Amino acid sequence: MMQFTESAPAPPPLHQNPIGGLCLDLSGGKKNQSSIPRAWPWPGFPTSTKTLGSFNNASCMEQLLVHCANAIETNDATLAQQILWVLNNIAPPDGDSNQRLTSAFLRALIARASKTGACAVLAAVATADADLALYTHRFSAVELASFIDLTPWYRFGFSAANAAIAEAVEGFQTIHIVDLSTTHCMQIPTLIDILANRPEGPPFIKLTVPRITSSNTSTQPPPLLDLSYDELGSRLITFAQSRNIGMEFRVVPSESSEGFDTLIEQLRAEQMVCDGEALVVNCQMMMHYVPEETAGAMTQLSMRSMCLKALRSLEPTILTLVDEDADFTDSDLVGRLRSAFNFLWIPYDAVDTFLPRGSDQRRWYEGGVCWKIENVIAHEGLQRVERLESRGRWMQRMRAAGFRGLGFGEEAVGEVKSMLDEHAAGWGLKKEEEGLVLSWKGHNVVFATAWAPSTSCM
């Protein structure tokens, strides 16, 4: 972690919390700046691990991060560095789950500060402290499949969506699956197994996936795959053949930042001559990468809403929508920080139950969370692609686009429960209106919904 020199500005003074603990005076000392000594550390500042430990709880860490964010936004480099010093000492990157979470936010705030006016003096610290290996590890197909199986975070959505898809496509001999997923088709082998064993016999499968063509790899979310899509398609075709299923695999260059316009246009043209197919649109953790901003001056619709309407116009047999149940769309940095802090403690807390410290898989797992935090906190504009919305907001969008909820039957619920039984205690399942919700210790994590075109006019 970062180290400050002896000439660094002093930390803010301390005062007694009425409840009894020590708290930082985060006014920045603006009323009595002349009285703040410039030596480092400030005489009387409690530098011992024992005393700094009084700050080591999630609530205090969150408040420190909020005050640091405010200091960065107001270009108060002195105060920002003071708070960063405290955070650096109470939140080691190899500490408990709260400390590791705070350390990730600390890294993200330093990255943001390095771009901001007087706070740009922290740029060297940000560069020296970055561990790019956390973000850039590329999985082999076997590694990625094994990695995803470690936790219900993705498996929950796979299980729920596959059960809904299997029910919706009963009787169809050809099934066209459009896989909008961040996990590089890792869901598909399990779906192939389900369809191979259906009573009416296996179908023929067409699988279409988008190839994100952005040259800006910093906005490509993990996990990354060390395999070309041509090779991936070849492996999936071979696997399908081993299950007596014929398969076609096609990749369409497209951009999530443009609402998958190219992909949807190709599908629209193709569907005009492909009657009798079941069209499945499978959205797994991908739709929140479509920008939520208004598409243009001539419309009040966001690009997300326009994308959903375009998908509705394809008349899909079923559309499954799975995503994380949080809201990272606040235009205010502090609002996003609070939302992210109060959601992303979950993966740090959960990882302690299934991965040992020091393992590569743990580094990769927490590296993916770090990438998400840095994107939410350190970036703005087109660079900030991690824009989650709540389940309720997505349901509003789906209905407005002309979809109706299908819900999940007892068989689907049973499949998800069986999957959760394979994982540590703490994971739970909630059956909500028109959907299922994965929870960790009672807190919502991921939602799964299934939709079909409504019969009413759009």
Side-chain angles (χ1 to χ4, degrees), residues 340-355:
F341 190 88
N342 286 284
F343 177 70
L344 293 174
W345 67 271
I346 295 173
Y348 281 97
D349 190 51
V351 75
D352 288 336
T353 67
F354 64 88
L355 285 176

Side-chain angles (χ1 to χ4, degrees), residues 34-296:
S34 60
S35 66
I36 299 178
R38 308 311 292 176
W40 185 258
W42 175 60
F45 186 82
T47 56
S48 71
T49 303
K50 180 178 180 181
T51 308
L52 285 175
S54 63
F55 303 132
N56 190 14
N57 63 77
S59 179
C60 189
M61 289 179 176
E62 180 184 2
Q63 289 304 312
L64 286 168
L65 290 168
V66 165
H67 286 298
C68 185
N70 279 323
I72 291 170
E73 293 303 275
T74 57
N75 207 24
D76 190 338
T78 299
L79 180 57
Q81 190 169 5
Q82 290 168 349
I83 303 173
L84 288 171
W85 185 88
V86 176
L87 287 167
N88 182 63
N89 280 276
I90 65 174
D94 58 350
D96 63 28
S97 58
N98 286 332
Q99 290 172 323
R100 301 198 309 277
L101 171 68
T102 302
S103 177
F105 276 90
L106 168 62
R107 180 198 300 269
L109 284 171
I110 293 173
R112 186 179 183 93
S114 69
K115 309 172 187 177
T116 309
C119 292
V121 296
L122 299 173
V125 175
T127 301
D129 193 49
D131 183 1
L132 297 179
L134 290 176
Y135 305 159
T136 58
H137 175 75
R138 290 186 172 272
F139 291 86
S140 69
V142 173
E143 274 184 338
L144 183 55
S146 175
F147 182 75
I148 285 172
D149 281 345
L150 290 171
T151 168
W153 205 282
Y154 290 107
R155 291 191 71 198
F156 163 78
F158 293 178
S159 297
N162 283 348
I165 291 168
E167 181 178 347
V169 301
E170 287 181 1
F172 285 92
Q173 293 305 305
T174 301
I175 301 171
H176 189 163
I177 303 167
V178 180
D179 192 44
L180 305 180
S181 168
T182 59
T183 54
H184 314 288
C185 301
M186 290 296 113
Q187 174 184 348
I188 301 303
T190 306
L191 180 57
I192 288 173
D193 272 334
I194 294 172
L195 296 175
N197 294 314
R198 66 181 190 171
E200 66 268 38
F204 182 83
I205 295 177
K206 297 180 179 180
L207 179 60
T208 299
V209 299
R211 176 186 284 125
I212 304 302
T213 57
S214 174
S215 59
N216 186 4
T217 56
S218 66
T219 61
Q220 185 176 353
L224 305 178
L225 183 65
D226 190 21
L227 189 72
S228 73
Y229 267 81
D230 289 338
E231 293 175 284
L232 178 63
S234 178
R235 293 191 183 193
L236 286 170
I237 290 171
T238 299
F239 179 80
Q241 289 172 343
S242 74
R243 301 299 190 269
N244 297 316
I245 288 181
M247 174 184 276
E248 291 179 0
F249 182 86
R250 182 178 61 167
V251 179
V252 178
S254 195
E255 274 278 12
S256 57
S257 61
E258 296 174 355
F260 299 108
D261 288 349
T262 303
L263 174 65
I264 293 171
E265 283 303 314
Q266 288 204 23
L267 289 169
R268 181 177 289 114
E270 179 178 298
Q271 286 302 112
M272 294 175 63
V273 295
C274 291
D275 294 333
E277 288 185 357
L279 176 61
V280 175
V281 180
N282 182 54
C283 305
Q284 292 276 343
M285 308 286 193
M286 178 67 86
M287 291 304 293
H288 74 264
Y289 292 109
V290 176
E292 90 275 14
E293 289 90 346
T294 301

Side-chain angles (χ1 to χ4, degrees), residues 230-422:
D230 289 338
E231 293 175 284
L232 178 63
S234 178
R235 293 191 183 193
L236 286 170
I237 290 171
T238 299
F239 179 80
Q241 289 172 343
S242 74
R243 301 299 190 269
N244 297 316
I245 288 181
M247 174 184 276
E248 291 179 0
F249 182 86
R250 182 178 61 167
V251 179
V252 178
S254 195
E255 274 278 12
S256 57
S257 61
E258 296 174 355
F260 299 108
D261 288 349
T262 303
L263 174 65
I264 293 171
E265 283 303 314
Q266 288 204 23
L267 289 169
R268 181 177 289 114
E270 179 178 298
Q271 286 302 112
M272 294 175 63
V273 295
C274 291
D275 294 333
E277 288 185 357
L279 176 61
V280 175
V281 180
N282 182 54
C283 305
Q284 292 276 343
M285 308 286 193
M286 178 67 86
M287 291 304 293
H288 74 264
Y289 292 109
V290 176
E292 90 275 14
E293 289 90 346
T294 301
M298 301 302 292
T299 178
Q300 294 301 310
L301 292 177
S302 71
M303 290 186 66
R304 287 184 185 177
S305 294
M306 293 186 68
C307 179
L308 292 175
K309 280 185 171 290
L311 290 172
R312 165 63 179 83
S313 71
L314 298 175
E315 296 285 344
T317 307
I318 185 172
L319 183 149
T320 55
L321 176 62
V322 177
D323 220 318
E324 293 159 328
D325 195 4
D327 189 345
F328 294 173
T329 60
D330 199 322
S331 60
D332 177 65
L333 172 62
V334 169
R336 293 201 307 275
L337 188 152
R338 287 191 182 277
S339 294
F341 190 88
N342 286 284
F343 177 70
L344 293 174
W345 67 271
I346 295 173
Y348 281 97
D349 190 51
V351 75
D352 288 336
T353 67
F354 64 88
L355 285 176
R357 294 194 180 195
S359 69
D360 284 341
Q361 288 182 322
R362 181 153 171 169
R363 289 181 69 252
W364 301 335
Y365 182 88
E366 294 193 353
V369 186
C370 285
W371 182 93
K372 187 185 293 284
I373 291 170
E374 183 164 322
N375 191 265
V376 170
I377 300 302
H379 298 287
E380 296 292 351
L382 295 178
Q383 298 295 312
R384 180 163 62 85
V385 298
E386 200 56 65
R387 298 176 182 243
L388 293 170
E389 285 189 311
S390 68
R391 179 178 62 94
R393 180 63 182 128
W394 278 112
M395 293 178 74
Q396 291 175 357
R397 287 191 186 278
M398 293 300 295
R399 293 191 185 103
F403 287 93
R404 59 181 175 86
L406 295 177
F408 292 89
E410 290 306 312
E411 186 174 343
V413 172
E415 289 286 339
V416 175
K417 286 183 177 178
S418 296
M419 180 275 298
L420 291 180
D421 287 342
E422 301 173 16

